[in-house]
């Protein structure tokens, strides 16, 4: 039964990870210094990929590992299979939220509080909207658009065409 107690300490890294880990199938994905690590929870590393810049966020969807860095500010898609770079998109300012996938498009927020929308195949920036968003936001797919929930209490319906 699940009781909230620690069953095993699986591994101890010598320094803390740079961002929150995520799960991809049966593996953990996280940043360790400038490296992106994909490993089994018991510690065997399958992918170790050096990434330029400080890794801020990691997310997995659509066969890719999406990595957001600052200094330089960029979004990178890596193959979940072998860690090879599929595309890399420099962004004008630092991204302050994790990426999310809604209706087949990648969304995130930059430090100027713009909503960024990228297509996942090549990372092309489709649009940037000034919505006065912080990194506390939610995006939900609707039949005729996107519902964006902001931390200021606004509910915005955005045409996704």
């Amino acid at each position: 039964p699940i009781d909230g107690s620690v069953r095993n300490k699986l591994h101890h890294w010598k320094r803390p990870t740079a961002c929150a880990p995520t799960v991809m199938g049966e593996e953990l994905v996280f940043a360790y210094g400038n490296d992106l690590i994909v490993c089994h929870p018991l510690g065997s590393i399958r992918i170790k990929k050096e990434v330029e810049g400080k890794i801020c966020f990691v997310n997995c969807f659509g066969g890719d590992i999406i990595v957001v860095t600052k200094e330089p500010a960029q979004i990178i898609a890596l193959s979940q299979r072998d860690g090879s770079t599929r595309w890399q998109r420099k962004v004008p300012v630092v991204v302050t939220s994790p990426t999310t996938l809604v209706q087949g498009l990648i969304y995130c927020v930059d430090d100027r509080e713009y909503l960024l929308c990228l297509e996942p195949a090549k990372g092309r920036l489709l649009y940037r909207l000034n919505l006065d968003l912080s990194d506390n936001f939610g995006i939900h797919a609707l039949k005729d658009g996107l519902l964006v929930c902001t931390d200021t209490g606004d509910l915005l319906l955005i045409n996704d065409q």
Side-chain angles (χ1 to χ4, degrees), residues 6-77:
V6 175
R7 183 173 45 177
N8 289 324
K9 184 175 182 177
L10 298 176
H11 194 76
H12 176 74
W13 299 94
K14 293 180 183 166
R15 58 183 184 236
T17 61
C19 65
T22 189
V23 175
M24 178 178 70
E26 297 288 319
E27 297 176 306
L28 296 173
V29 181
F30 60 93
Y32 186 66
N34 281 21
D35 293 330
L36 177 84
I37 305 289
V38 177
C39 71
H40 185 273
L42 296 178
S44 60
I45 295 174
R46 185 171 67 83
I47 296 172
K48 182 177 181 184
K49 168 89 172 185
E50 186 174 356
V51 176
E52 179 188 9
K54 180 181 182 218
I55 300 173
C56 303
F57 303 105
V58 175
N59 212 333
C60 301
F61 40 75
D64 290 330
I65 301 167
I66 306 297
V67 178
V68 175
T69 70
K70 65 180 180 181
E71 299 164 13
Q74 60 186 342
I75 301 171
I76 307 165

Side-chain angles (χ1 to χ4, degrees), residues 119-159:
E119 60 87 19
K122 296 190 183 202
R124 186 170 56 96
L125 182 64
L126 298 176
Y127 59 84
R128 240 175 121 225
L129 292 176
N130 185 355
L131 297 180
D132 196 26
L133 295 173
S134 72
D135 37 338
N136 282 329
F137 74 101
I139 299 177
H140 307 280
L142 300 176
K143 188 170 111 177
D144 58 351
L146 300 173
L147 180 66
V148 178
C149 308
T150 72
D151 61 349
T152 59
D154 293 328
L155 292 175
L156 308 169
L157 181 60
I158 297 173
N159 184 359

